[in-house]
Amino acid sequence: MPRYELALILKDLPRAALATALKRSCQHVWKEDGVVRKIENLGTKPLPYRMHVHGSKNVTGSYFVMNFDSSTNAKEEIEKRLRRDAEIVRPTIFSVVEDDERPCMRGLECQFGENVSLIGERLSWRTKALKKTNLYAGLKKNKKN
């Protein structure tokens, strides 16, 4: 099943009503045999412009990001159900492309286009920075002693 990311903007609601609206949006995914992987709360923020949805004018909204797996046919049905929900201001579903590349542990010497690991990148950056400041030779002497 492909992975999707759902960006939700909900009306500015009390905490209990917000929780029930999130549960309903999860149930829309579950009804289509989807699996919810993660829900992330981005907080309540002012909307970029006034949004009119289901007869109400919204100036602020609660932002959420939900990662889920579902079939491609079910994606459209989930989006239709979310658009009908009165407490959801804006649902947007994105396809997530998964990167299955192994990290390269040798720093900047990667040969086959692998992702450079942060450990190797930090080490090579540190040695370059120390060489520029002429502290690298002093560190080598201290390690030998």
Side-chain angles (χ1 to χ4, degrees), residues 124-135:
S124 63
W125 177 82
R126 181 174 175 235
T127 55
K128 285 181 184 178
L130 291 174
K131 283 181 180 178
K132 284 183 181 178
T133 58
N134 294 327
L135 297 174

Side-chain angles (χ1 to χ4, degrees), residues 84-120:
R84 281 188 236 135
D85 195 335
E87 294 176 349
I88 296 177
V89 176
R90 175 80 43 95
T92 309
I93 298 178
F94 302 101
S95 297
V96 176
V97 179
E98 297 180 23
D99 295 333
D100 292 336
E101 296 180 25
R102 287 182 26 200
C104 176
M105 296 304 288
R106 288 180 277 158
L108 300 174
E109 302 173 12
C110 298
Q111 298 174 359
F112 303 107
E114 306 100 326
N115 292 336
V116 178
S117 75
L118 295 177
I119 296 167

Side-chain angles (χ1 to χ4, degrees), residues 12 27 35 43-44 58 116:
D12 193 13
Q27 287 172 352
V35 178
T44 302
N58 300 296
V116 178

Side-chain angles (χ1 to χ4, degrees), residues 74-86:
K75 175 190 159 206
E76 295 160 2
E77 185 62 33
I78 292 168
E79 194 164 10
K80 283 181 192 175
R81 288 181 182 179
L82 290 170
R83 290 200 183 277
R84 281 188 236 135
D85 195 335

Side-chain angles (χ1 to χ4, degrees), residues 19-84:
T20 57
L22 272 174
K23 285 180 188 176
R24 260 196 325 273
S25 62
C26 287
Q27 287 172 352
H28 294 313
V29 174
W30 294 331
K31 284 179 186 174
E32 296 296 324
D33 296 328
V35 178
V36 176
R37 298 287 179 195
K38 183 172 84 170
I39 299 175
E40 186 176 349
N41 184 0
L42 302 178
T44 302
K45 301 176 186 177
L47 298 173
Y49 52 89
R50 203 172 336 141
M51 295 184 184
H52 303 275
V53 179
H54 301 290
S56 65
K57 298 176 185 176
N58 300 296
V59 181
T60 59
S62 299
Y63 288 75
F64 290 91
V65 175
M66 179 191 305
N67 291 339
F68 68 95
D69 296 341
S70 182
S71 66
T72 53
N73 298 334
K75 175 190 159 206
E76 295 160 2
E77 185 62 33
I78 292 168
E79 194 164 10
K80 283 181 192 175
R81 288 181 182 179
L82 290 170
R83 290 200 183 277
R84 281 188 236 135

